[in-house]
Amino acid sequence: MIRHSLFSRCVADHRGSMIGVALTNAVIAMVVTLIFPSYREALANFQLPEILQGFLGEAGASAYSTFNGFVAVEFFAWVPILLTVIAIIGGTAAIAGDEGAGTLDLLLAQPVRRSRLLLERSAALIVVLVVAALAGLPGFLLASAFVDFPIGLGNITLAILNMLPLVLLFLALSVLGSAALPSRSAATMLSVAVVVITYFFNLIGAASEQVRILQKFSPFYWADASHVLLHGFDWLRTGIFLALTVALFGLALLAFERRDVSIGIREWHVGEWLRTLGVEIRAFRRHRFTPRRPA
């Protein structure tokens, strides 16, 4: 029963967030599509301030005069943030939530392995995020009955799927923080800090030529939806995102398997955690790259 309840229970715990964000995505997609014809001419010469040029992505300065650019700015610039909020809330609760509540040791006393607990909860959160992201597609479908937009629903679907690698990367980071850091609040601070800093890198890098290199260090830059809408799905970028996500989940598994479980918030020191993280990374590399001997 535990094997089946871990996954379903995690989905049920985040069902409210999933439904709320899914409905939000659908409404935003429908409204953005319906209002575009009314705003197309009025916004043809509209220019965002330089500090906000990062919102435009590859759509460029004429973003608001084309449907590709308009939906990239008004939908795909905001929805990944909503999905990232769910990822951080769910990811930081995956391990640290139960540990802070004092119930993790009771759960692990049951016939369930640590790896199964972490993987099933992570899989449940991935399902929640995928459903919430794909909910934007019905919004575009409903609006297409009233507005004839110039790009196919296939390209819209690819752009929606393009959001997921970015969100899953932050989910994996949140799960790693939940498994390695002493409390859910510490894991949340780490995740939020990374999101804010990399988001700022993308914006400030687009606004100033002197710091343009900062954009290259932002996952938001590489997850630009307008790139997919203009040039098609980029499998290389997606592959890199997924490889980093798998690596972070692997580190989370190692961190969870190697540490003691406490009741409530653990005592913790930065130096001790850095040493532990270094050991976990070396162990992960040995496990990943050392060839296995034949039986």
Side-chain angles (χ1 to χ4, degrees), residues 150-275:
I151 57 177
L153 289 173
N155 288 338
I156 290 289
T157 303
L158 291 177
I160 291 176
L161 293 176
N162 182 70
M163 298 187 301
L164 290 173
L166 171 71
V167 177
L168 295 182
L169 179 66
F170 289 127
L171 171 64
L173 176 65
S174 301
V175 172
L176 173 59
S178 180
L181 294 179
S183 65
R184 186 179 181 184
S185 60
T188 301
M189 286 189 290
L190 170 66
S191 303
V192 171
V194 173
V195 171
V196 172
I197 291 172
T198 55
Y199 193 79
F200 177 75
F201 280 177
N202 187 39
L203 291 182
I204 198 67
S208 176
E209 190 70 32
Q210 288 76 13
V211 291
R212 184 64 54 84
I213 188 63
L214 291 179
Q215 274 192 311
K216 309 299 182 181
F217 296 96
S218 173
F220 291 97
Y221 171 78
W222 298 108
D224 179 19
S226 62
H227 177 82
V228 176
L229 293 172
L230 293 172
H231 308 294
F233 199 76
D234 194 321
W235 292 102
L236 178 60
R237 292 187 181 186
T238 301
I240 293 174
F241 269 110
L242 294 180
L244 291 173
T245 299
V246 171
L248 290 176
F249 275 125
L251 289 174
L253 279 172
L254 287 173
F256 190 34
E257 291 282 3
R258 289 172 174 269
R259 72 170 178 80
D260 295 330
V261 174
S262 63
I263 300 177
I265 298 177
R266 289 180 288 135
E267 294 184 1
W268 174 81
H269 301 283
V270 175
E272 178 183 353
W273 180 77
L274 290 176
R275 288 192 297 271

Side-chain angles (χ1 to χ4, degrees), residues 8 14 27 34 38 49 82-83 100 124 155 169 171 173 177 182 198 273 284:
S8 58
H14 299 281
V27 171
L34 291 175
S38 302
L82 295 177
L83 296 174
N155 288 338
L169 179 66
L171 171 64
L173 176 65
T198 55
W273 180 77
F284 176 77

